[in-house]
Amino acid sequence: MSRILDQRVLLLVMSLLTSLQSTKVFSEWKKCGDRECEKAMSRVQATTDYSGPDCRYLNFKTGEEIMVYSKLSRKNENLWTGS
């Protein structure tokens, strides 16, 4: 019985470590205002009109204010999330 319990605890720890590692990798690619990316990290004003290719993209007009919640880094540093 004790051996089965030890194996279950080991599996739980391994699962937790794997989950933390994947979170760490993701966080290196994403910059946020807070841990959950719920707090705005900046407020910007659109300098040009933009119409996204589909509904996942924010459409805006010149002069509109946009609240930015996260920014990707590395290859896609121009990809931000906002409202």
Side-chain angles (χ1 to χ4, degrees), residues 32-67:
C32 296
D34 65 348
R35 189 176 186 145
E36 290 82 27
C37 295
E38 293 177 348
K39 179 181 175 185
M41 60 186 300
S42 59
R43 183 174 60 190
V44 298
Q45 188 172 27
T47 57
T48 60
D49 293 353
Y50 179 78
S51 180
D54 60 46
C55 64
R56 296 174 297 163
Y57 292 82
L58 184 65
N59 300 315
F60 49 84
K61 303 264 186 215
T62 303
E64 285 186 327
E65 186 177 275
I66 303 165
M67 301 301 288

Side-chain angles (χ1 to χ4, degrees), residues 3-48:
R3 185 174 179 184
I4 293 173
L5 183 60
D6 289 344
Q7 289 175 344
R8 287 183 180 176
V9 169
L10 180 60
L11 287 173
L12 180 63
V13 169
M14 289 173 57
S15 174
L16 180 61
L17 288 175
T18 303
S19 132
L20 289 174
Q21 285 176 343
S22 65
T23 302
K24 182 179 178 186
V25 170
F26 184 67
S27 67
E28 289 175 2
W29 288 75
K30 190 173 183 181
K31 302 172 190 173
C32 296
D34 65 348
R35 189 176 186 145
E36 290 82 27
C37 295
E38 293 177 348
K39 179 181 175 185
M41 60 186 300
S42 59
R43 183 174 60 190
V44 298
Q45 188 172 27
T47 57
T48 60

